[in-house]
Amino acid sequence: MKLASYSKAPGKIIIAGEHFVVHGSRSLAAAIDKGILVKINKSDKHEIYSNYGNRFIQIEKNTNQPISDLAKRTLEFIGVDESLKITIDSDIPNSSGLGSSSAVMVATVSAIGEFFNVNLTKTDIYNLAMSGEKSIHGNPSGVDVAASVYGGIISFRKGENPTPVKMNSDLELIVIVSGIKRKTSILINKFTKVKSLSPNLFEAMLKSSDILIGEMQDALVSHNLQKIGALMNFYNSCLSYYGLDHVTTDELIDKSLSLGCYGSKITGAGGGGSVIAIAEKTKTSLITKQINQYGYECFSIKLPQEGVKCWTD
């Protein structure tokens, strides 16, 4: 019997196409170098612990227990009836909109499979993790989970397998955490309401987004930073038009542009969370330091990054 198994699943950014992807358009997402580490041990009873500051505390003692429920579904899927201790350690900033919930689901499923020597496919991990993600966010597109499972940069359409975007060279982006909390399911519903108010415009925007995703993908592959930035700016304007902006993220976007970024946008659900920006590589470190001096957590990420990985003691 293994003493413990581990799984590290990355968080994500949405480069373009968030919200539109829920309704059938494509999006571009990428795994980042911050994520969730899950450790599995055998136990006399189901226990889940998570890090808060410098200590681990037991969580999910109430009726809504998405991680516990996911663990039980995973055990049923692999045909095992055991009690487990699940320990969750995160280096994803709190309330950042960088895919922490999907990474928890992906890492939990993967670590359980590893503990019992079951070779879960990426499709198995995706499907199981999605069942947990739905219990939290209601009607997610699945792009967060896909980015965490498969890694790299992916083109994603709901209901289809993700397509990897092969880069000719590494890409560096800036991430700024606003610290503004928001609930993803509420923002998804807010965007969806627009469909009933102006269905023809909504459909036209979906088609436009799908075309522009192709342009963004070409820009990523060719490393055209100015074009990537221009498309980021356009997408941010669209999301702001639909009421998914926030005064703090607007200020951060304006500040990043003033410091020399080609483009900047909210990433993920909006209403707070995080902002991503792109600049010349020679400017990235200085811009990051300057934004940190304003009191916001800001860091650079290099793409691509690998997806979920597992190992054992």
Side-chain angles (χ1 to χ4, degrees):
M1 172 67 70
K2 296 175 181 177
L3 295 176
S5 68
Y6 303 83
S7 179
K8 182 71 179 286
K12 66 85 181 75
I13 57 167
I14 305 293
I15 299 171
E18 51 268 270
H19 285 287
F20 295 103
V21 69
V22 175
H23 301 276
S25 182
R26 287 181 294 165
S27 67
L28 288 167
I32 64 174
D33 58 358
K34 294 182 182 294
I36 302 291
L37 174 65
V38 167
K39 178 183 178 181
I40 298 291
N41 299 98
K42 192 174 180 181
S43 178
D44 294 331
K45 60 181 179 179
H46 281 297
E47 300 175 290
I48 300 179
Y49 292 85
S50 183
N51 65 332
Y52 283 84
N54 295 320
R55 63 194 182 98
F56 287 85
I57 64 172
Q58 191 167 3
I59 62 172
E60 293 205 340
K61 296 180 179 179
N62 299 319
T63 54
N64 183 23
Q65 302 183 33
I67 302 171
S68 297
D69 291 343
L70 176 65
K72 292 173 183 176
R73 281 193 295 272
T74 304
L75 290 168
E76 289 173 3
F77 181 83
I78 64 178
V80 173
D81 183 14
E82 295 280 359
S83 294
L84 300 174
K85 178 183 178 182
I86 301 173
T87 307
I88 301 166
D89 196 359
S90 173
D91 62 5
I92 300 176
N94 291 331
S95 305
S96 61
L98 297 176
S100 60
S101 67
S102 57
V104 167
M105 301 303 171
V106 170
T108 298
V109 171
S110 303
I112 292 173
E114 180 73 13
F115 189 76
F116 292 104
N117 295 311
V118 176
N119 185 23
L120 295 173
T121 67
K122 289 186 176 181
T123 300
D124 292 334
I125 297 169
Y126 175 85
N127 289 335
L128 285 164
M130 272 300 291
S131 69
E133 189 76 342
K134 288 176 180 177
S135 69
I136 297 174
H137 295 310
N139 182 35
S141 67
V143 64
D144 290 21
V145 174
S148 189
V149 171
Y150 292 94
I153 300 176
I154 58 170
S155 173
F156 180 88
R157 191 189 301 275
K158 190 174 183 179
E160 298 180 4
N161 290 327
T163 302
V165 177
K166 301 296 184 182
M167 303 286 289
N168 293 327
S169 59
D170 291 344
L171 184 70
E172 192 166 4
L173 295 178
I174 296 167
V175 178
I176 312 167
V177 181
S178 74
I180 305 299
K181 296 182 179 181
R182 74 285 182 280
K183 191 170 178 61
T184 298
S185 58
I186 292 174
L187 292 160
I188 290 174
N189 292 336
K190 183 176 184 178
F191 186 83
T192 301
K193 286 180 181 178
V194 178
K195 185 175 183 179
S196 60
L197 295 174
S198 49
N200 294 312
L201 175 60
F202 191 86
E203 186 64 27
M205 291 296 288
L206 289 180
K207 291 178 180 178
S208 297
S209 179
D210 214 47
I211 292 170
L212 290 175
I213 287 295
E215 293 295 317
M216 178 68 92
Q217 184 168 327
D218 291 343
L220 290 168
V221 172
S222 63
H223 210 76
N224 187 335
L225 303 187
Q226 292 189 44
K227 186 175 181 180
I228 294 169
L231 289 166
M232 279 185 175
N233 294 332
F234 183 81
Y235 264 105
N236 191 71
S237 296
C238 291
L239 295 171
S240 294
Y241 174 79
Y242 286 119
L244 301 171
D245 55 350
H246 187 279
V247 62
T248 300
T249 52
D250 285 348
E251 290 174 356
L252 291 172
I253 288 166
D254 194 67
K255 179 59 67 176
S256 64
L257 293 173
S258 75
L259 293 172
C261 291
Y262 290 128
S264 187
K265 64 180 283 293
I266 55 178
T267 181
S274 295
V275 165
I276 59 171
I278 191 164
E280 292 292 345
K281 191 174 183 179
T282 54
K283 295 181 179 179
T284 296
S285 178
L286 179 59
I287 292 171
T288 300
K289 289 179 182 177
Q290 288 179 298
I291 293 175
N292 278 324
Q293 289 174 359
Y294 293 119
Y296 292 96
E297 184 172 0
C298 181
F299 51 89
S300 63
I301 54 171
K302 291 182 179 180
L303 306 179
Q305 296 287 333
E306 64 181 334
V308 63
K309 59 181 180 180
C310 302
W311 65 97
T312 59
D313 277 343

